[in-house]
Amino acid sequence: MLSKLRLNSKVVILTGAGVSAESGLSTFRENNGLWESHKVEDVATPEAFSCNPDLVHKFYNLRRSQLSQVIPNKAHFFLSKVTHQMPNAWLVTQNVDDLHQRAGSKRLLQMHGSLLEKRCIACNAISDVNVDLSVESQCHSCGCSGVLRPNIVWFGEEPFHLRKIHFLLSQCDFFISIGTSGAVYPAAGFAGLAASNGAHTVELNLVPSDVSSVFAEKYYGAATEVVPEYFTDIVDFE
Ligand code: OAD
């Protein structure tokens, strides 16, 4: 079933690491992906941070430093145009890079947090990261040392903005998933939720995701190609 997108359609677009792959950032689960060279339980859980904060800081400091070597690609810029020209389009990203922001996207929710933010586990203050984090880093709000963590959602923690995202999923006409494997919940369940609320669901990915059977419409290829092709009739990219 094909369904026609209109400029005023209510749209939720979910993005994953595949959108940033052509900018040069590694995905997680493909060959040479981040979870091939690192164990999730060593670097991406609250327990890992308690046991070995140095290793966790090193992992995220390195990923943050890579951001200065990459730039947004055509898919990020096209999605930014979508958010500018479609007043009811929201971008929900699992990505912790800043490439959607640098492309100028509006109405963006980073459900897994941001590499460019730190959070104090003593006072909960969130602030920008300007230098590498370490166990010695001091919170500027409460003055405590050894309490700063990356403002990233780790396994076992609740993603950010879930209430807002569930509201958007409950009333959207279209749900479009781009560049994500569908391996991690709750994001992997969004398509099913949106479909059960009557939304038309679309998957744009390099290969079928783990949840591809849920989608009504599917296009496979690189994000820099399939994203412009999918939106070409509705959004002006000049
Ligand atoms: P994955 O690495 O699981 O999946 C990336 C997906 O992008 C795969 O399905 C690829 O086929 C696809 N892909 C690769 N290159 C592409 C391209 N050029 N164009 C389009 N698609 C492409 O990454 P995510 O699904 O984002 O969470 O992973 C979800 C979450 O798992 C991440 O946010 C992270 C991770 O563990 C946390 O760390 C909490």
Side-chain angles (χ1 to χ4, degrees):
M1 180 188 59
L2 296 181
S3 194
K4 191 142 174 56
L5 199 62
R6 296 175 198 286
L7 268 184
N8 64 355
S9 297
K10 292 179 183 165
V11 185
V12 175
I13 300 167
L14 173 71
T15 65
V19 167
S20 296
E22 289 166 88
S23 290
L25 294 178
S26 298
T27 60
F28 294 93
R29 294 176 180 79
E30 294 178 292
N31 288 342
N32 297 320
L34 284 169
W35 295 155
E36 205 171 271
S37 43
H38 300 85
K39 280 192 192 158
V40 169
E41 54 272 31
D42 287 347
V43 293
T45 63
E47 294 76 19
F49 190 61
S50 302
C51 295
N52 195 346
D54 285 323
L55 181 68
V56 175
H57 280 312
K58 193 173 159 206
F59 176 69
Y60 289 101
N61 287 339
L62 181 65
R63 289 183 63 198
R64 191 179 308 108
S65 75
Q66 287 163 349
L67 297 185
S68 60
Q69 293 150 34
V70 299
I71 55 173
N73 64 48
K74 209 167 154 185
H76 296 107
F77 285 116
F78 274 61
L79 290 171
S80 170
K81 293 264 188 200
V82 169
T83 64
H84 281 263
Q85 294 178 32
M86 299 183 70
N88 300 311
W90 282 81
L91 206 45
V92 175
T93 189
Q94 298 166 90
N95 298 344
V96 295
D97 63 51
D98 62 343
L99 296 180
H100 282 309
Q101 285 95 330
R102 280 198 258 157
S105 287
K106 291 162 70 169
R107 294 183 297 283
L108 173 68
L109 301 174
Q110 280 193 289
M111 65 178 288
H112 288 166
S114 167
L115 279 170
L116 297 179
E117 289 176 352
K118 58 185 183 296
R119 185 167 88 240
C120 175
I121 54 176
C123 73
N124 263 333
I126 295 171
S127 53
D128 293 343
V129 181
N130 301 313
V131 291
D132 280 355
L133 292 178
S134 76
V135 287
E136 276 92 41
S137 302
Q138 198 172 16
C139 173
H140 291 303
S141 296
C142 67
C144 296
S145 308
V147 287
L148 293 177
R149 58 168 280 178
N151 194 29
I152 301 273
V153 175
W154 287 325
F155 284 87
E157 297 183 320
E158 182 171 309
F160 300 140
H161 310 298
L162 273 190
R163 187 191 288 252
K164 173 80 182 174
I165 294 168
H166 280 127
F167 170 73
L168 293 169
L169 293 172
S170 73
Q171 47 102 66
C172 66
D173 310 313
F174 283 78
F175 175 83
I176 303 169
S177 173
I178 309 174
T180 177
S181 61
V184 175
Y185 285 80
F190 290 169
L193 258 178
S196 67
N197 290 323
H200 181 72
T201 52
V202 183
E203 174 165 89
L204 309 178
N205 204 38
L206 199 56
V207 296
S209 72
D210 293 357
V211 291
S212 63
S213 61
V214 172
F215 291 89
E217 200 178 344
K218 311 153 206 217
Y219 300 97
Y220 297 112
T224 53
E225 288 168 16
V226 287
V227 169
E229 275 165 25
Y230 179 75
F231 288 101
T232 193
D233 290 341
I234 184 85
V235 169
D236 177 8
F237 293 114
E238 289 313 309

